[in-house]
Amino acid sequence: MTAPEPARPDAAAIPPAERFSADWLSRREALDARSRSHCLTGLAADWLSRRPRAPSAPHEIVDLGCGSGSNLRFLAPRLPGPQRWRLVDHDSTLLALARRHGATLHDAAGGRLVIEACCRDLSPVDAGLLAGGELVVASALFDLVSRPWAEALVAAAAVRRQALLFTLSVDGDWAFLDASGARIEDEEDSVVRGLFQAHQRRDKGLGPALGGDAPAVLAAAMGAAGYRVESAATPWHLAAGEAVRFPLAESLVQGWHDAALEQAPEEQASLERWRLRRLAGLASGKLGLTVGHRDLLALPAGGV
């Protein structure tokens, strides 16, 4: 039986009305690009450059859960060419948007990309899911998947000696920041974060979700499969008074509130007070926030 359609990246962290929207994905894209590891991207580019191939043969890249194409837009100009991308997502509307954006992009040498769109669920992890890729990439996806699915994906890629670049996996941590950038926290923050973390582990369509355990589970699976693993912390930082990021911060706080409320509906009054208090602090410029993420690069042992 076909698995339910997986939710969009970070679905548990945003309001239900925005979970599948291109607007949310666009809103977070600049902060994603600012946060992710350029070092690991460079190591992936170096690995591709060393791959033996015919001069005209493209580097084959598979983007899982591609959404509207933010991963493609970030990586393509930073990776060697020529490039052939296979974009995989269950949402045909977002997939079409990603393909249109890809038509305007160039690789690091200025060459055009070849784009293939594949509309399908991410389950099962079968030959078709990873077909044709030297490098398999995904961004802001793995908090939504189950341990068996993640381990099956890593094992299948290892058999094919595919490299893996998985970016912006949330680690379950978030906190508010004062004007100096120091973390601040009270008892209500701790309660809301605990409820949110419990909500993250609900089934999002691929089994009980990993939530903030995703980076550790992925790293362990990669190591067990024989990969050389590199890891980098890539947290979001929205400074107090960074007005341009307020809509994103507002969506995050609303999403944390909504997830906590689903976990503990009996706490509606206290959760609403928390929401209004923290939104007021963000709107006044007195508060910022940070959200923990981690990037992982797994390269096949023994070189290319």
Side-chain angles (χ1 to χ4, degrees):
M1 183 172 66
T2 302
E5 291 189 346
R8 287 300 327 137
D10 290 341
I14 58 177
E18 297 188 10
R19 287 181 181 173
F20 302 96
S21 74
D23 178 65
W24 163 256
L25 298 177
S26 175
R27 194 181 302 168
R28 63 171 291 169
E29 185 168 348
L31 186 58
D32 281 345
R34 185 173 82 180
S35 303
R36 60 192 291 169
S37 172
H38 290 251
C39 177
L40 295 193
T41 300
L43 291 175
D46 291 344
W47 182 83
L48 281 175
S49 295
R50 296 194 303 270
R51 296 275 293 170
R53 61 185 180 86
S56 60
H59 296 293
E60 304 276 355
I61 304 160
V62 176
D63 188 1
L64 300 177
C66 69
S68 60
S70 63
N71 210 18
L72 170 71
R73 289 188 288 278
F74 181 88
L75 288 173
R78 293 170 171 85
L79 297 179
Q83 297 172 21
R84 182 193 305 273
W85 284 73
R86 185 165 169 269
L87 306 178
V88 183
D89 203 285
H90 76 281
D91 188 319
S92 60
T93 301
L94 292 176
L95 196 59
L97 183 59
R99 189 168 190 172
R100 287 200 300 273
H101 287 163
T104 69
L105 297 174
H106 299 82
D107 60 41
R112 293 280 189 179
L113 312 182
V114 176
I115 305 290
E116 174 191 350
C118 178
C119 189
R120 56 159 287 173
D121 290 343
L122 297 182
S123 182
V125 179
D126 54 19
L129 184 65
L130 298 177
E134 299 170 78
L135 175 65
V136 179
V137 302
S139 182
L141 172 66
F142 288 93
D143 60 306
L144 302 174
V145 310
S146 66
R147 179 186 293 267
W149 188 90
E151 291 176 343
L153 179 73
V154 171
V159 168
R160 295 167 173 80
R161 294 189 59 78
Q162 294 168 311
L164 307 172
L165 179 60
F166 297 155
T167 55
L168 297 164
S169 293
V170 296
D171 63 12
D173 181 49
W174 53 259
F176 293 94
L177 307 173
D178 65 17
S180 72
R183 291 171 65 110
I184 59 173
E185 182 168 314
D186 60 23
E187 184 176 350
E188 286 188 335
D189 294 329
S190 298
V191 169
V192 173
R193 188 169 57 244
L195 291 170
F196 168 71
Q197 290 170 342
H199 189 277
Q200 274 190 309
R201 291 177 171 80
R202 292 186 176 191
D203 191 331
K204 307 299 191 303
L206 293 170
L210 287 170
D213 292 334
V217 168
L218 285 171
M222 291 166 171
Y227 279 108
R228 295 178 287 122
V229 183
E230 300 284 347
S231 176
T234 53
W236 281 357
H237 283 296
L238 288 80
E242 192 176 358
V244 69
R245 303 293 180 207
F246 177 72
L248 178 62
E250 184 179 36
S251 292
L252 287 169
V253 171
Q254 184 67 52
W256 297 336
H257 165 272
D258 292 350
L261 183 60
E262 287 187 24
Q263 284 296 117
E266 70 279 6
E267 300 296 334
Q268 180 177 3
S270 62
L271 290 171
E272 177 65 5
R273 286 194 300 271
W274 173 87
R275 183 186 73 87
L276 293 174
R277 179 167 62 89
R278 287 316 195 193
L279 285 177
L282 291 165
S284 69
K286 294 178 179 178
L287 291 181
L289 58 81
T290 183
V291 182
H293 295 87
R294 185 160 288 273
D295 289 3
L296 292 165
L297 173 66
L299 299 176
V304 297

